[in-house]
Amino acid sequence: HDAKPIVIDEVVGQSLALLFVPHSPLAFLAAFVLFRGFDVWKPLGAREIQRLPGGWGVVADDVVAGLTACGAFHLGFRVLQRFGALAG
């Protein structure tokens, strides 16, 4: 279980989710929501990886969630661009 006063795992995960995200409040919000969703859902082996010893598992599951959120954001962003829903 995560120690409540320690938030480095959340900082690392959210930072990964924000990689190369356009600098706009809506994009930041979307990346945040995706990260929180994947952090709770624990896809792609995150549930298993959190069993690593010590604090490694606590951080590793947020790394998986952050990278998954980053990929999902950019995939969704490209799809929306492709179909003309977003400029650029």
Side-chain angles (χ1 to χ4, degrees):
H1 294 289
D2 294 4
K4 298 300 178 205
I6 301 171
V7 294
I8 190 68
D9 56 325
E10 302 295 329
V11 171
V12 169
Q14 185 62 64
S15 296
L16 290 170
L18 288 168
L19 283 175
F20 309 112
V21 168
H23 291 186
S24 78
L26 187 57
F28 290 160
L29 177 63
F32 173 76
V33 169
L34 284 167
F35 170 67
R36 294 305 309 148
F38 288 127
D39 191 26
V40 170
W41 179 32
K42 307 223 180 291
L44 304 174
R47 190 168 311 285
E48 291 77 19
I49 204 168
Q50 76 179 4
R51 295 185 189 127
L52 288 171
W56 291 106
V58 171
V59 175
D61 81 306
D62 283 352
V63 167
V64 171
L67 291 174
T68 306
C70 184
F73 176 88
H74 290 290
L75 178 65
F77 188 76
R78 297 292 179 249
V79 167
L80 290 173
Q81 279 184 323
R82 175 81 172 113
F83 291 104
L86 294 174

